[in-house]
Amino acid sequence: MHLAYPAVLAVLLFCVGLYGVLARRNAILVLMSVELMLNAVNLNLVAFDVAFRDVLRSGQSFTLFIIALAAAEIGIGLAIVLMVYRNRGTSAVDRLRDLADTDAGGTGAAADPADPADRQDPQGAGDAAGGPATASKKAEATA
Amino acid sequence: MTLAAETHGFLSPTGVEIVFLLTGLVTLGAAVITVTTRQLVHAALWLVVALGGLAVEYLLLTAEFVAWVQVLIYVGSVVVLLLFGLMLTRAPIGRSPDADSGNRWVALGVAGAAAVLLVTLVVDAFRTTWIDLDEPKGTTDLLGASVFRHWVLPFEALSVLLLAALVGAIVLSRKDGGAAEEPVEDPAAADDGGEG
Protein backbone atom coordinates (compact mmCIF):
# COMPACT_ATOMS: atom_id res chain seq x y z
CA MET A 1 0.00 0.00 0.00
CA HIS A 2 1.20 3.48 -0.76
CA LEU A 3 2.20 5.28 2.44
CA ALA A 4 0.59 8.49 1.24
CA TYR A 5 -2.93 7.10 1.73
CA PRO A 6 -2.82 6.76 5.56
CA ALA A 7 -0.63 9.84 5.92
CA VAL A 8 -3.03 12.05 3.96
CA LEU A 9 -6.04 10.61 5.77
CA ALA A 10 -4.37 11.34 9.13
CA VAL A 11 -3.59 14.90 8.05
CA LEU A 12 -7.17 15.51 6.94
CA LEU A 13 -8.61 14.03 10.15
CA PHE A 14 -6.27 16.21 12.19
CA CYS A 15 -7.41 19.32 10.35
CA VAL A 16 -11.06 18.39 10.82
CA GLY A 17 -10.39 18.03 14.53
CA LEU A 18 -8.55 21.36 14.53
CA TYR A 19 -11.56 23.05 12.97
CA GLY A 20 -13.81 21.46 15.57
CA VAL A 21 -11.66 22.61 18.49
CA LEU A 22 -11.58 26.16 17.20
CA ALA A 23 -15.18 26.45 16.04
CA ARG A 24 -17.29 24.54 18.53
CA ARG A 25 -18.93 26.22 21.47
CA ASN A 26 -20.06 23.32 23.66
CA ALA A 27 -17.17 22.01 25.75
CA ILE A 28 -18.13 18.38 25.15
CA LEU A 29 -18.01 18.90 21.39
CA VAL A 30 -14.55 20.40 21.84
CA LEU A 31 -13.55 17.21 23.65
CA MET A 32 -14.89 15.16 20.74
CA SER A 33 -12.74 17.15 18.34
CA VAL A 34 -9.71 16.56 20.55
CA GLU A 35 -10.45 12.84 20.27
CA LEU A 36 -10.44 13.16 16.47
CA MET A 37 -7.03 14.83 16.57
CA LEU A 38 -5.64 12.12 18.83
CA ASN A 39 -6.96 9.45 16.49
CA ALA A 40 -5.27 11.10 13.54
CA VAL A 41 -1.97 10.88 15.40
CA ASN A 42 -2.69 7.22 16.20
CA LEU A 43 -3.25 6.44 12.54
CA ASN A 44 0.06 8.06 11.68
CA LEU A 45 1.87 6.06 14.35
CA VAL A 46 0.41 2.74 13.21
CA ALA A 47 1.05 3.44 9.54
CA PHE A 48 4.67 4.38 10.04
CA ASP A 49 5.25 1.49 12.42
CA VAL A 50 3.98 -0.96 9.80
CA ALA A 51 5.81 0.78 6.98
CA PHE A 52 9.21 0.92 8.63
CA ARG A 53 9.00 -2.59 10.17
CA ASP A 54 9.99 -1.41 13.63
CA VAL A 55 11.42 -4.27 15.66
CA LEU A 56 10.36 -2.70 18.95
CA ARG A 57 6.85 -2.00 17.63
CA SER A 58 7.14 1.45 19.13
CA GLY A 59 4.43 2.98 16.97
CA GLN A 60 1.76 0.49 17.96
CA SER A 61 2.87 0.52 21.62
CA PHE A 62 2.61 4.31 21.64
CA THR A 63 -0.81 4.00 20.05
CA LEU A 64 -1.95 1.79 22.92
CA PHE A 65 -0.51 4.28 25.42
CA ILE A 66 -2.20 7.20 23.66
CA ILE A 67 -5.55 5.37 23.72
CA ALA A 68 -5.21 4.88 27.50
CA LEU A 69 -4.16 8.52 27.89
CA ALA A 70 -7.17 9.62 25.87
CA ALA A 71 -9.47 7.61 28.12
CA ALA A 72 -7.97 9.30 31.20
CA GLU A 73 -8.19 12.69 29.51
CA ILE A 74 -11.83 12.28 28.59
CA GLY A 75 -12.67 11.21 32.15
CA ILE A 76 -10.98 14.21 33.75
CA GLY A 77 -12.28 16.55 31.05
CA LEU A 78 -15.87 15.44 31.51
CA ALA A 79 -15.54 15.77 35.30
CA ILE A 80 -14.33 19.36 34.85
CA VAL A 81 -17.10 20.14 32.36
CA LEU A 82 -19.73 18.72 34.71
CA MET A 83 -18.36 20.75 37.61
CA VAL A 84 -18.39 23.92 35.52
CA TYR A 85 -21.93 23.17 34.41
CA ARG A 86 -23.02 22.64 38.01
CA ASN A 87 -21.47 25.92 39.15
CA ARG A 88 -22.25 28.12 36.16
CA GLY A 89 -25.24 26.54 34.49
CA THR A 90 -23.56 26.50 31.09
CA SER A 91 -20.93 24.51 29.24
CA ALA A 92 -20.27 27.01 26.46
CA VAL A 93 -16.57 27.71 26.34
CA ASP A 94 -16.95 31.31 25.17
CA ARG A 95 -19.04 32.30 28.17
CA LEU A 96 -16.46 31.30 30.75
CA ARG A 97 -14.71 34.66 30.70
CA ASP A 98 -13.81 35.27 34.31
CA LEU A 99 -10.11 35.36 33.51
CA ALA A 100 -10.51 37.34 30.30
CA ASP A 101 -8.09 40.21 29.94
CA THR A 102 -10.57 42.84 28.79
CA ASP A 103 -11.27 44.77 31.96
CA ALA A 104 -10.61 48.51 31.66
CA GLY A 105 -9.63 48.99 35.30
CA GLY A 106 -6.92 46.43 35.48
CA THR A 107 -5.13 45.33 38.63
CA GLY A 108 -2.55 48.10 38.61
CA ALA A 109 0.54 46.23 37.62
CA ALA A 110 -0.89 44.69 34.50
CA ALA A 111 -2.90 47.73 33.44
CA ASP A 112 -1.30 50.00 30.91
CA PRO A 113 -3.26 53.17 30.16
CA ALA A 114 -1.67 53.48 26.74
CA ASP A 115 -2.62 49.94 25.82
CA PRO A 116 -5.24 50.10 23.09
CA ALA A 117 -6.75 46.89 24.35
CA ASP A 118 -7.69 48.60 27.60
CA ARG A 119 -9.57 51.39 25.85
CA GLN A 120 -12.42 49.24 24.70
CA ASP A 121 -14.79 50.71 27.21
CA PRO A 122 -18.08 49.42 25.79
CA GLN A 123 -16.82 45.86 25.81
CA GLY A 124 -15.40 46.25 29.30
CA ALA A 125 -18.66 47.77 30.51
CA GLY A 126 -20.54 44.92 28.91
CA ASP A 127 -18.36 42.43 30.70
CA ALA A 128 -18.72 44.29 33.96
CA ALA A 129 -22.49 44.24 33.48
CA GLY A 130 -22.31 40.57 32.66
CA GLY A 131 -20.23 39.86 35.76
CA PRO A 132 -22.92 40.21 38.44
CA ALA A 133 -25.44 38.41 36.25
CA THR A 134 -23.18 35.38 35.93
CA ALA A 135 -22.31 35.64 39.61
CA SER A 136 -25.96 35.61 40.58
CA LYS A 137 -26.57 32.74 38.20
CA LYS A 138 -23.66 30.93 39.76
CA ALA A 139 -25.01 31.49 43.25
CA GLU A 140 -28.41 30.35 42.07
CA ALA A 141 -26.92 27.22 40.59
CA THR A 142 -24.96 26.47 43.73
CA ALA A 143 -27.90 27.03 46.06
CA MET B 1 9.04 -0.47 2.92
CA THR B 2 10.52 -0.67 -0.50
CA LEU B 3 11.81 2.07 -2.66
CA ALA B 4 11.58 0.10 -5.87
CA ALA B 5 9.05 2.14 -7.74
CA GLU B 6 9.06 -0.21 -10.70
CA THR B 7 7.46 -3.01 -8.70
CA HIS B 8 4.57 -0.77 -7.69
CA GLY B 9 2.47 1.16 -10.11
CA PHE B 10 2.24 4.76 -8.98
CA LEU B 11 -1.36 5.23 -10.01
CA SER B 12 -2.59 1.65 -10.22
CA PRO B 13 -4.19 1.01 -6.86
CA THR B 14 -4.38 -2.46 -5.44
CA GLY B 15 -7.48 -3.85 -3.80
CA VAL B 16 -6.31 -2.99 -0.30
CA GLU B 17 -5.72 0.58 -1.36
CA ILE B 18 -9.19 0.87 -2.84
CA VAL B 19 -10.78 -0.47 0.33
CA PHE B 20 -8.57 1.83 2.39
CA LEU B 21 -9.62 4.79 0.27
CA LEU B 22 -13.35 4.04 0.54
CA THR B 23 -13.16 3.49 4.29
CA GLY B 24 -11.11 6.65 4.59
CA LEU B 25 -13.79 8.62 2.73
CA VAL B 26 -16.46 7.27 5.10
CA THR B 27 -14.28 8.08 8.12
CA LEU B 28 -13.52 11.58 6.90
CA GLY B 29 -17.15 12.27 6.08
CA ALA B 30 -18.26 11.10 9.51
CA ALA B 31 -15.59 13.29 11.12
CA VAL B 32 -16.74 16.32 9.13
CA ILE B 33 -20.35 15.70 10.15
CA THR B 34 -19.19 15.32 13.77
CA VAL B 35 -17.66 18.76 13.84
CA THR B 36 -20.35 20.51 11.81
CA THR B 37 -23.71 19.06 12.86
CA ARG B 38 -25.99 21.17 15.00
CA GLN B 39 -27.53 18.24 16.86
CA LEU B 40 -25.23 17.44 19.73
CA VAL B 41 -26.23 13.80 20.23
CA HIS B 42 -25.85 13.14 16.51
CA ALA B 43 -22.29 14.45 16.76
CA ALA B 44 -21.49 11.75 19.32
CA LEU B 45 -23.10 9.08 17.15
CA TRP B 46 -21.19 10.17 14.04
CA LEU B 47 -18.05 10.05 16.15
CA VAL B 48 -18.78 6.32 16.57
CA VAL B 49 -18.74 5.94 12.77
CA ALA B 50 -15.47 7.85 12.48
CA LEU B 51 -13.73 5.83 15.19
CA GLY B 52 -15.06 2.53 13.82
CA GLY B 53 -13.80 3.48 10.38
CA LEU B 54 -10.39 4.09 11.90
CA ALA B 55 -10.52 0.63 13.47
CA VAL B 56 -11.13 -0.81 9.99
CA GLU B 57 -8.14 1.16 8.72
CA TYR B 58 -6.00 -0.38 11.46
CA LEU B 59 -7.18 -3.82 10.37
CA LEU B 60 -6.22 -3.02 6.79
CA LEU B 61 -2.78 -1.99 8.02
CA THR B 62 -2.53 -5.43 9.73
CA ALA B 63 -2.52 -3.88 13.20
CA GLU B 64 -5.30 -6.03 14.53
CA PHE B 65 -4.64 -5.68 18.26
CA VAL B 66 -4.72 -1.89 18.04
CA ALA B 67 -7.94 -2.19 16.03
CA TRP B 68 -9.71 -4.20 18.69
CA VAL B 69 -8.41 -1.95 21.47
CA GLN B 70 -9.76 0.99 19.48
CA VAL B 71 -13.18 -0.65 19.23
CA LEU B 72 -13.24 -1.59 22.91
CA ILE B 73 -12.01 1.65 24.43
CA TYR B 74 -13.04 4.37 21.99
CA VAL B 75 -16.30 3.07 20.61
CA GLY B 76 -17.18 1.20 23.77
CA SER B 77 -16.33 3.57 26.57
CA VAL B 78 -15.24 7.01 25.40
CA VAL B 79 -18.33 7.63 23.30
CA VAL B 80 -20.55 6.35 26.10
CA LEU B 81 -18.80 8.78 28.46
CA LEU B 82 -19.38 11.59 25.99
CA LEU B 83 -23.06 10.70 25.72
CA PHE B 84 -23.32 10.69 29.52
CA GLY B 85 -21.67 14.10 29.58
CA LEU B 86 -24.13 15.42 27.00
CA MET B 87 -27.03 14.09 29.06
CA LEU B 88 -25.74 15.43 32.37
CA THR B 89 -25.19 18.92 30.98
CA ARG B 90 -28.75 18.88 29.62
CA ALA B 91 -27.74 19.26 26.00
CA PRO B 92 -30.66 20.10 23.74
CA ILE B 93 -32.02 17.13 21.86
CA GLY B 94 -33.03 18.91 18.68
CA ARG B 95 -31.09 21.38 16.58
CA SER B 96 -29.29 23.92 18.71
CA PRO B 97 -28.64 27.18 16.86
CA ASP B 98 -25.55 28.13 18.87
CA ALA B 99 -23.47 24.99 18.47
CA ASP B 100 -20.76 26.97 16.69
CA SER B 101 -19.09 30.00 18.18
CA GLY B 102 -18.52 33.23 16.32
CA ASN B 103 -15.07 32.43 15.05
CA ARG B 104 -15.98 29.54 12.80
CA TRP B 105 -14.75 31.26 9.65
CA VAL B 106 -11.39 31.90 11.27
CA ALA B 107 -11.35 28.26 12.32
CA LEU B 108 -12.20 27.20 8.77
CA GLY B 109 -9.36 29.30 7.43
CA VAL B 110 -6.85 27.93 9.91
CA ALA B 111 -7.90 24.32 9.33
CA GLY B 112 -7.92 24.73 5.55
CA ALA B 113 -4.49 26.34 5.51
CA ALA B 114 -3.10 23.60 7.75
CA ALA B 115 -4.68 20.92 5.56
CA VAL B 116 -3.27 22.33 2.32
CA LEU B 117 0.19 22.79 3.82
CA LEU B 118 0.37 19.36 5.45
CA VAL B 119 -1.11 17.43 2.52
CA THR B 120 1.36 19.04 0.14
CA LEU B 121 4.24 18.27 2.48
CA VAL B 122 3.19 14.69 3.20
CA VAL B 123 2.48 13.74 -0.40
CA ASP B 124 5.78 15.22 -1.50
CA ALA B 125 7.71 13.52 1.28
CA PHE B 126 6.30 10.01 1.01
CA ARG B 127 5.72 9.80 -2.73
CA THR B 128 8.06 6.86 -3.19
CA THR B 129 7.36 4.89 0.00
CA TRP B 130 5.28 1.75 0.02
CA ILE B 131 4.00 -0.35 2.90
CA ASP B 132 4.62 -4.05 2.63
CA LEU B 133 1.50 -5.79 3.88
CA ASP B 134 2.32 -9.41 3.11
CA GLU B 135 2.76 -10.49 6.73
CA PRO B 136 0.88 -9.31 9.83
CA LYS B 137 2.86 -6.93 11.97
CA GLY B 138 0.46 -6.15 14.77
CA THR B 139 -0.80 -9.43 16.15
CA THR B 140 -1.46 -9.75 19.87
CA ASP B 141 1.52 -12.08 20.16
CA LEU B 142 4.05 -9.64 18.70
CA LEU B 143 2.61 -6.57 20.36
CA GLY B 144 2.26 -8.20 23.78
CA ALA B 145 5.87 -9.39 23.69
CA SER B 146 7.00 -5.92 22.71
CA VAL B 147 4.93 -4.08 25.31
CA PHE B 148 5.93 -6.32 28.17
CA ARG B 149 9.59 -6.57 27.18
CA HIS B 150 10.66 -3.19 25.85
CA TRP B 151 7.89 -0.85 26.97
CA VAL B 152 7.11 -2.22 30.39
CA LEU B 153 8.22 0.91 32.27
CA PRO B 154 5.90 3.28 30.35
CA PHE B 155 3.18 0.67 30.80
CA GLU B 156 3.56 0.78 34.59
CA ALA B 157 3.76 4.57 34.60
CA LEU B 158 0.55 4.62 32.61
CA SER B 159 -1.19 2.50 35.21
CA VAL B 160 -0.18 5.04 37.87
CA LEU B 161 -1.54 7.78 35.63
CA LEU B 162 -4.84 5.97 35.22
CA LEU B 163 -5.10 5.65 39.00
CA ALA B 164 -4.39 9.37 39.38
CA ALA B 165 -7.04 10.17 36.76
CA LEU B 166 -9.54 7.98 38.60
CA VAL B 167 -8.89 9.70 41.92
CA GLY B 168 -8.97 13.11 40.24
CA ALA B 169 -12.30 12.45 38.57
CA ILE B 170 -13.79 11.31 41.88
CA VAL B 171 -12.50 14.39 43.71
CA LEU B 172 -13.73 16.72 40.98
CA SER B 173 -17.20 15.27 40.82
CA ARG B 174 -17.77 14.93 44.55
CA LYS B 175 -20.60 17.11 45.67
CA ASP B 176 -20.19 17.65 49.40
CA GLY B 177 -16.58 18.82 49.48
CA GLY B 178 -17.00 21.44 46.79
CA ALA B 179 -20.41 22.73 47.92
CA ALA B 180 -19.28 23.43 51.48
CA GLU B 181 -16.56 25.79 50.37
CA GLU B 182 -18.10 27.56 47.44
CA PRO B 183 -20.41 30.03 49.21
CA VAL B 184 -17.36 31.25 51.12
CA GLU B 185 -15.24 31.53 48.01
CA ASP B 186 -17.71 33.05 45.61
CA PRO B 187 -18.02 36.59 47.11
CA ALA B 188 -14.27 36.83 47.33
CA ALA B 189 -13.94 35.84 43.71
CA ALA B 190 -16.62 38.34 42.73
CA ASP B 191 -14.87 41.08 44.72
CA ASP B 192 -11.59 40.33 43.03
CA GLY B 193 -13.28 40.47 39.67
CA GLY B 194 -14.87 43.80 40.57
CA GLU B 195 -11.63 45.39 41.62
CA GLY B 196 -9.64 43.96 38.81
Side-chain angles (χ1 to χ4, degrees):
Chain A
M1 189 194 294
H2 206 292
L3 185 54
Y5 287 101
V8 168
L9 177 63
V11 163
L12 291 178
L13 271 179
F14 186 85
C15 292
V16 168
L18 182 63
Y19 168 78
V21 167
L22 292 178
R24 284 303 208 179
R25 170 175 276 162
N26 194 325
I28 297 179
L29 293 179
V30 173
L31 282 178
M32 284 186 207
S33 308
V34 171
E35 293 302 310
L36 277 179
M37 293 167 84
L38 284 173
N39 270 287
V41 175
N42 284 348
L43 181 61
N44 250 341
L45 282 174
V46 170
F48 281 92
D49 179 293
V50 174
F52 293 146
R53 298 171 174 272
D54 192 4
V55 286
L56 296 183
R57 262 111 198 145
S58 47
Q60 297 181 52
S61 306
F62 282 2
T63 302
L64 293 180
F65 296 158
I66 289 176
I67 288 176
L69 276 176
E73 171 248 337
I74 206 83
I76 292 289
L78 277 181
I80 292 174
V81 169
L82 285 184
M83 193 180 67
V84 166
Y85 180 79
R86 223 165 47 209
N87 287 336
R88 305 293 175 91
T90 180
S91 60
V93 288
D94 54 352
R95 268 187 223 151
L96 307 172
R97 299 175 61 87
D98 279 359
L99 293 179
D101 200 10
T102 57
D103 201 351
T107 55
D112 187 5
D115 195 358
D118 284 341
R119 281 191 213 147
Q120 297 173 347
D121 285 336
Q123 194 177 350
D127 281 347
T134 52
S136 66
K137 189 189 291 181
K138 184 176 15 170
E140 178 186 351
T142 345
Chain B
M1 179 190 71
T2 54
L3 289 177
E6 62 268 13
T7 62
H8 303 274
F10 180 56
L11 280 181
S12 66
T14 60
V16 178
E17 285 177 343
I18 292 174
V19 175
F20 192 95
L21 196 61
L22 293 179
T23 317
L25 284 180
V26 171
T27 305
L28 197 61
V32 168
I33 296 175
T34 300
V35 298
T36 53
T37 181
R38 297 195 175 278
Q39 312 196 20
L40 304 184
V41 182
H42 285 195
L45 296 179
W46 280 106
L47 189 65
V48 172
V49 178
L51 299 178
L54 269 172
V56 177
E57 307 278 38
Y58 293 153
L59 277 181
L60 290 176
L61 287 168
T62 70
E64 55 183 45
F65 184 65
V66 177
W68 298 126
V69 167
Q70 166 100 1
V71 170
L72 277 178
I73 293 186
Y74 267 117
V75 182
S77 73
V78 167
V79 174
V80 173
L81 266 180
L82 286 171
L83 281 174
F84 266 113
L86 282 178
M87 282 196 308
L88 288 176
T89 56
R90 299 207 183 98
I93 295 297
R95 303 167 63 85
S96 60
D98 56 347
D100 288 339
S101 62
N103 51 6
R104 68 175 291 195
W105 295 110
V106 180
L108 198 61
V110 169
V116 168
L117 185 69
L118 285 173
V119 165
T120 311
L121 178 72
V122 159
V123 168
D124 191 42
F126 303 111
R127 199 175 39 208
T128 57
T129 311
W130 272 266
I131 307 176
D132 200 5
L133 290 177
D134 50 355
E135 59 181 11
K137 299 182 186 62
T139 61
T140 312
D141 185 12
L142 294 172
L143 202 52
S146 178
V147 164
F148 288 104
R149 184 170 299 148
H150 301 288
W151 302 104
V152 67
L153 189 62
F155 184 80
E156 298 295 335
L158 202 61
S159 62
V160 177
L161 182 131
L162 279 179
L163 177 67
L166 179 69
V167 174
I170 290 175
V171 168
L172 277 179
S173 58
R174 232 176 44 173
K175 233 170 199 170
D176 47 354
E181 289 182 359
E182 266 158 13
V184 185
E185 278 186 359
D186 278 348
D191 284 348
D192 285 344
E195 288 170 7

